[in-house]
Amino acid sequence: MQVRIAELEIDPDQIDEFKALLAEEIATSVEREPGVLFLYAVSVKGAPSAVRVIECYADPLAYQAHLTTPHFLKYKTQTADMVRSLRLIETEPIALAAKSGQHSNGEDH
């Protein structure tokens, strides 16, 4: 498995458009790519332009394949001028667990 954390800083004036494009890209990736195990996007509480994405791929090949998909390339192109900074953090998974079918769009909290 390959798990990484993406730390993004987004132009505050474009955060709503960025979030919509990111949500679309995540939904498409999880739906269409068997090697994308999960993608979770959150913002730092009180700092909506500080976006963090926790990504999990079946293996490094699944991650490399993800980078070449039309939906990912569309997201990268459409958000290029919105992203002020991007830092990718490689991780070593310790324990990963989730309840099947449990997710939230954050609007019910």
Side-chain angles (χ1 to χ4, degrees):
M1 244 188 269
Q2 182 172 4
V3 179
R4 61 185 347 174
I5 300 167
E7 292 184 340
L8 299 102
E9 297 299 327
I10 308 304
D11 175 356
D13 294 334
Q14 301 184 73
I15 190 64
D16 290 336
E17 184 179 357
F18 175 83
K19 286 168 45 176
L21 291 167
L22 178 60
E24 177 185 334
E25 193 279 328
I26 285 176
T28 303
S29 295
V30 170
E31 178 184 310
R32 295 187 185 168
E33 297 179 64
V36 175
L37 303 183
F38 64 75
L39 296 169
Y40 298 140
V42 298
S43 61
V44 175
K45 193 169 195 120
S49 61
V51 174
R52 306 299 183 252
V53 181
I54 300 97
E55 312 172 17
C56 183
Y57 305 93
D59 54 41
L61 290 176
Y63 172 68
Q64 291 303 317
H66 170 69
L67 297 179
T68 66
T69 60
H71 50 272
F72 180 77
L73 294 173
K74 173 185 167 189
Y75 157 79
K76 287 297 278 187
T77 300
Q78 291 183 336
T79 62
D81 70 330
M82 301 175 187
V83 178
R84 290 185 170 172
S85 69
L86 168 62
R87 178 175 166 226
L88 297 175
I89 302 168
E90 297 296 334
T91 71
E92 294 288 340
I94 297 171
L96 303 172
K99 292 189 183 298
S100 179
Q102 300 293 312
H103 62 81
S104 172
N105 63 8
E107 294 178 8
D108 57 347
H109 294 270

